[in-house]
Amino acid sequence: FLDGESFGVKFVFTAAGVAVSLFWSSFFACAAVMTPYKAMSDAPQKASRSILLSPPTNPFSGIIYAIYRRQCLLACLAATAIISEFLPLTLSQIPYRVSQTFIAHIVCAWINISVLCLMVLVLVASFFVRWPSMPMDPTTVAGSMYYICDSSMMIHFEGVSLNSQDGRNSDIALANFRY
């Protein structure tokens, strides 16, 4: 089956590329949400680097965010997720076709091998990162409420909910607390 030039072979490789790309986008999104919590578990952070952050939603804006915040792991994950977006295109060129030059086939094959090796290295490196132990998932409403209600932060924010978003953020930043 994989030795032929049929549409099915190309479809299988493209589907594998899409699956890998979806995995890396999801992995980046999870890491982007957890990065402020990791920073807070390492050392107390200012409000602008912890509770006032909104995580990036995609790797394209996430790489700029990570470089600006000097977060090496998040930048590597964003770069890998961006590279993975091109994987379905290059994987679909792997089955050799008569209408394709042999050099293009070899170049696509080695690009895919390089990208997949890079992905394995980044994935293995991510296993060595020490993430904070969190009993609840902070991405859910219940998890957020659990962490907010369990802290003494509520005393400091009394009356802040009546302010506009900009006013609230400036009041929190001016309080100069560490979280």
Short mmCIF file of all heavy atoms in Angstrom, two decimals, residues 84-113:
data_model
loop_
_atom_site.label_atom_id
_atom_site.label_comp_id
_atom_site.label_asym_id
_atom_site.label_seq_id
_atom_site.Cartn_x
_atom_site.Cartn_y
_atom_site.Cartn_z
N SER A 84 5.62 22.80 12.76
CA SER A 84 4.71 21.67 12.55
C SER A 84 3.55 22.02 11.62
O SER A 84 2.93 21.13 11.04
CB SER A 84 4.17 21.16 13.88
OG SER A 84 3.17 22.01 14.39
N GLU A 85 3.25 23.30 11.49
CA GLU A 85 2.18 23.71 10.57
C GLU A 85 2.52 23.38 9.12
O GLU A 85 1.63 23.21 8.29
CB GLU A 85 1.90 25.22 10.70
CG GLU A 85 1.35 25.64 12.04
CD GLU A 85 -0.09 25.20 12.25
OE1 GLU A 85 -0.83 25.08 11.26
OE2 GLU A 85 -0.45 24.97 13.41
N PHE A 86 3.81 23.31 8.79
CA PHE A 86 4.24 23.01 7.43
C PHE A 86 4.44 21.52 7.20
O PHE A 86 4.70 21.10 6.08
CB PHE A 86 5.53 23.77 7.10
CG PHE A 86 5.37 25.26 7.17
CD1 PHE A 86 5.82 25.97 8.26
CD2 PHE A 86 4.73 25.94 6.15
CE1 PHE A 86 5.64 27.34 8.33
CE2 PHE A 86 4.55 27.31 6.21
CZ PHE A 86 5.02 28.01 7.31
N LEU A 87 4.34 20.73 8.26
CA LEU A 87 4.57 19.30 8.16
C LEU A 87 3.59 18.58 7.23
O LEU A 87 4.01 17.72 6.45
CB LEU A 87 4.58 18.68 9.56
CG LEU A 87 5.33 17.38 9.72
CD1 LEU A 87 6.79 17.56 9.33
CD2 LEU A 87 5.24 16.90 11.14
N PRO A 88 2.29 18.88 7.25
CA PRO A 88 1.39 18.18 6.30
C PRO A 88 1.78 18.42 4.84
O PRO A 88 1.69 17.50 4.01
CB PRO A 88 0.02 18.78 6.60
CG PRO A 88 0.10 19.26 7.99
CD PRO A 88 1.52 19.71 8.18
N LEU A 89 2.25 19.62 4.55
CA LEU A 89 2.65 19.93 3.18
C LEU A 89 3.87 19.12 2.76
O LEU A 89 3.89 18.52 1.68
CB LEU A 89 2.94 21.43 3.06
CG LEU A 89 3.45 21.92 1.72
CD1 LEU A 89 2.35 21.81 0.68
CD2 LEU A 89 3.96 23.32 1.83
N THR A 90 4.87 19.07 3.61
CA THR A 90 6.09 18.35 3.24
C THR A 90 5.92 16.84 3.35
O THR A 90 6.51 16.10 2.56
CB THR A 90 7.28 18.80 4.11
OG1 THR A 90 6.97 18.62 5.48
CG2 THR A 90 7.63 20.26 3.84
N LEU A 91 5.11 16.37 4.29
CA LEU A 91 4.87 14.93 4.38
C LEU A 91 4.09 14.40 3.19
O LEU A 91 4.26 13.24 2.80
CB LEU A 91 4.13 14.58 5.68
CG LEU A 91 4.99 14.35 6.90
CD1 LEU A 91 4.12 14.13 8.12
CD2 LEU A 91 5.94 13.19 6.73
N SER A 92 3.24 15.23 2.62
CA SER A 92 2.47 14.76 1.46
C SER A 92 3.35 14.56 0.23
O SER A 92 2.95 13.90 -0.72
CB SER A 92 1.35 15.74 1.14
OG SER A 92 1.88 16.95 0.63
N GLN A 93 4.56 15.10 0.25
CA GLN A 93 5.48 14.96 -0.88
C GLN A 93 6.40 13.75 -0.75
O GLN A 93 7.21 13.49 -1.63
CB GLN A 93 6.33 16.23 -1.03
CG GLN A 93 5.53 17.48 -1.25
CD GLN A 93 4.66 17.40 -2.48
OE1 GLN A 93 5.10 16.94 -3.53
NE2 GLN A 93 3.42 17.82 -2.37
N ILE A 94 6.30 13.02 0.37
CA ILE A 94 7.19 11.88 0.60
C ILE A 94 6.94 10.73 -0.40
O ILE A 94 7.89 10.21 -0.95
CB ILE A 94 7.06 11.38 2.05
CG1 ILE A 94 7.66 12.40 3.00
CG2 ILE A 94 7.74 10.04 2.24
CD1 ILE A 94 9.15 12.58 2.86
N PRO A 95 5.72 10.30 -0.62
CA PRO A 95 5.58 9.21 -1.59
C PRO A 95 6.09 9.69 -2.96
O PRO A 95 5.59 10.67 -3.50
CB PRO A 95 4.08 8.92 -1.64
CG PRO A 95 3.52 9.54 -0.41
CD PRO A 95 4.43 10.68 -0.06
N TYR A 96 7.07 9.00 -3.49
CA TYR A 96 7.67 9.40 -4.77
C TYR A 96 6.67 9.18 -5.90
O TYR A 96 6.01 8.15 -5.98
CB TYR A 96 8.95 8.61 -5.02
CG TYR A 96 9.65 9.01 -6.28
CD1 TYR A 96 10.26 10.25 -6.37
CD2 TYR A 96 9.67 8.16 -7.38
CE1 TYR A 96 10.90 10.63 -7.54
CE2 TYR A 96 10.30 8.54 -8.55
CZ TYR A 96 10.92 9.78 -8.62
OH TYR A 96 11.54 10.16 -9.77
N ARG A 97 6.56 10.19 -6.76
CA ARG A 97 5.69 10.12 -7.93
C ARG A 97 6.53 10.33 -9.18
O ARG A 97 7.56 11.00 -9.15
CB ARG A 97 4.60 11.19 -7.84
CG ARG A 97 3.62 10.97 -6.71
CD ARG A 97 2.52 12.02 -6.74
NE ARG A 97 3.00 13.38 -6.86
CZ ARG A 97 3.27 14.19 -5.82
NH1 ARG A 97 3.11 13.75 -4.60
NH2 ARG A 97 3.67 15.42 -6.02
N VAL A 98 6.06 9.82 -10.26
CA VAL A 98 6.77 9.96 -11.53
C VAL A 98 6.80 11.43 -11.96
O VAL A 98 7.77 11.90 -12.57
CB VAL A 98 6.11 9.09 -12.62
CG1 VAL A 98 6.78 9.27 -13.96
CG2 VAL A 98 6.14 7.63 -12.20
N SER A 99 5.77 12.18 -11.61
CA SER A 99 5.69 13.59 -12.01
C SER A 99 6.56 14.50 -11.14
O SER A 99 6.60 15.70 -11.36
CB SER A 99 4.24 14.06 -11.96
OG SER A 99 3.75 13.95 -10.64
N GLN A 100 7.25 13.93 -10.18
CA GLN A 100 8.07 14.71 -9.24
C GLN A 100 9.54 14.39 -9.49
O GLN A 100 9.89 13.25 -9.79
CB GLN A 100 7.67 14.31 -7.81
CG GLN A 100 8.40 14.99 -6.72
CD GLN A 100 7.95 14.46 -5.36
OE1 GLN A 100 7.42 13.38 -5.26
NE2 GLN A 100 8.18 15.24 -4.34
N THR A 101 10.41 15.38 -9.34
CA THR A 101 11.83 15.10 -9.52
C THR A 101 12.36 14.36 -8.29
O THR A 101 11.84 14.52 -7.18
CB THR A 101 12.63 16.40 -9.71
OG1 THR A 101 12.52 17.20 -8.54
CG2 THR A 101 12.15 17.17 -10.93
N PHE A 102 13.38 13.58 -8.50
CA PHE A 102 13.95 12.80 -7.41
C PHE A 102 14.59 13.71 -6.36
O PHE A 102 14.53 13.44 -5.16
CB PHE A 102 14.98 11.80 -7.97
CG PHE A 102 15.51 10.88 -6.93
CD1 PHE A 102 14.70 9.90 -6.39
CD2 PHE A 102 16.82 10.99 -6.49
CE1 PHE A 102 15.18 9.04 -5.42
CE2 PHE A 102 17.30 10.14 -5.52
CZ PHE A 102 16.48 9.15 -4.98
N ILE A 103 15.16 14.82 -6.80
CA ILE A 103 15.80 15.76 -5.86
C ILE A 103 14.75 16.37 -4.93
O ILE A 103 14.98 16.50 -3.73
CB ILE A 103 16.58 16.85 -6.63
CG1 ILE A 103 17.76 16.21 -7.36
CG2 ILE A 103 17.05 17.94 -5.69
CD1 ILE A 103 18.49 17.13 -8.28
N ALA A 104 13.60 16.74 -5.46
CA ALA A 104 12.53 17.30 -4.62
C ALA A 104 12.06 16.26 -3.60
O ALA A 104 11.79 16.60 -2.45
CB ALA A 104 11.36 17.76 -5.48
N HIS A 105 11.98 15.01 -4.01
CA HIS A 105 11.60 13.94 -3.10
C HIS A 105 12.63 13.80 -1.97
O HIS A 105 12.25 13.69 -0.79
CB HIS A 105 11.47 12.64 -3.89
CG HIS A 105 11.33 11.43 -3.03
ND1 HIS A 105 10.19 11.17 -2.31
CD2 HIS A 105 12.19 10.42 -2.77
CE1 HIS A 105 10.36 10.04 -1.65
NE2 HIS A 105 11.56 9.56 -1.91
N ILE A 106 13.89 13.80 -2.31
CA ILE A 106 14.95 13.66 -1.30
C ILE A 106 14.97 14.86 -0.36
O ILE A 106 15.10 14.71 0.87
CB ILE A 106 16.33 13.48 -1.99
CG1 ILE A 106 16.36 12.17 -2.76
CG2 ILE A 106 17.47 13.55 -0.99
CD1 ILE A 106 16.20 10.94 -1.90
N VAL A 107 14.82 16.06 -0.89
CA VAL A 107 14.81 17.27 -0.06
C VAL A 107 13.65 17.23 0.93
O VAL A 107 13.81 17.50 2.13
CB VAL A 107 14.77 18.54 -0.93
CG1 VAL A 107 14.48 19.77 -0.11
CG2 VAL A 107 16.10 18.71 -1.66
N CYS A 108 12.46 16.89 0.46
CA CYS A 108 11.29 16.80 1.35
C CYS A 108 11.48 15.72 2.40
O CYS A 108 11.10 15.90 3.56
CB CYS A 108 10.02 16.55 0.55
SG CYS A 108 9.39 18.01 -0.27
N ALA A 109 12.06 14.61 2.01
CA ALA A 109 12.28 13.53 2.98
C ALA A 109 13.23 13.99 4.08
O ALA A 109 12.97 13.75 5.27
CB ALA A 109 12.84 12.30 2.26
N TRP A 110 14.32 14.65 3.73
CA TRP A 110 15.28 15.08 4.76
C TRP A 110 14.75 16.26 5.58
O TRP A 110 15.08 16.38 6.76
CB TRP A 110 16.63 15.41 4.13
CG TRP A 110 17.38 14.14 3.86
CD1 TRP A 110 17.59 13.55 2.64
CD2 TRP A 110 17.94 13.27 4.83
NE1 TRP A 110 18.27 12.38 2.81
CE2 TRP A 110 18.50 12.17 4.15
CE3 TRP A 110 18.03 13.29 6.21
CZ2 TRP A 110 19.15 11.13 4.79
CZ3 TRP A 110 18.67 12.27 6.86
CH2 TRP A 110 19.22 11.20 6.16
N ILE A 111 13.93 17.10 4.99
CA ILE A 111 13.29 18.16 5.78
C ILE A 111 12.39 17.53 6.83
O ILE A 111 12.40 17.93 8.00
CB ILE A 111 12.50 19.12 4.86
CG1 ILE A 111 13.45 20.03 4.09
CG2 ILE A 111 11.51 19.95 5.67
CD1 ILE A 111 12.76 20.89 3.05
N ASN A 112 11.61 16.53 6.42
CA ASN A 112 10.72 15.85 7.37
C ASN A 112 11.50 15.14 8.47
O ASN A 112 11.12 15.19 9.64
CB ASN A 112 9.81 14.87 6.65
CG ASN A 112 8.74 15.58 5.87
OD1 ASN A 112 8.15 16.53 6.35
ND2 ASN A 112 8.50 15.13 4.65
N ILE A 113 12.57 14.48 8.10
CA ILE A 113 13.40 13.80 9.10
C ILE A 113 13.97 14.81 10.09
O ILE A 113 13.95 14.59 11.31
CB ILE A 113 14.51 12.98 8.41
CG1 ILE A 113 13.90 11.79 7.68
CG2 ILE A 113 15.56 12.52 9.43
CD1 ILE A 113 14.86 11.07 6.77
#
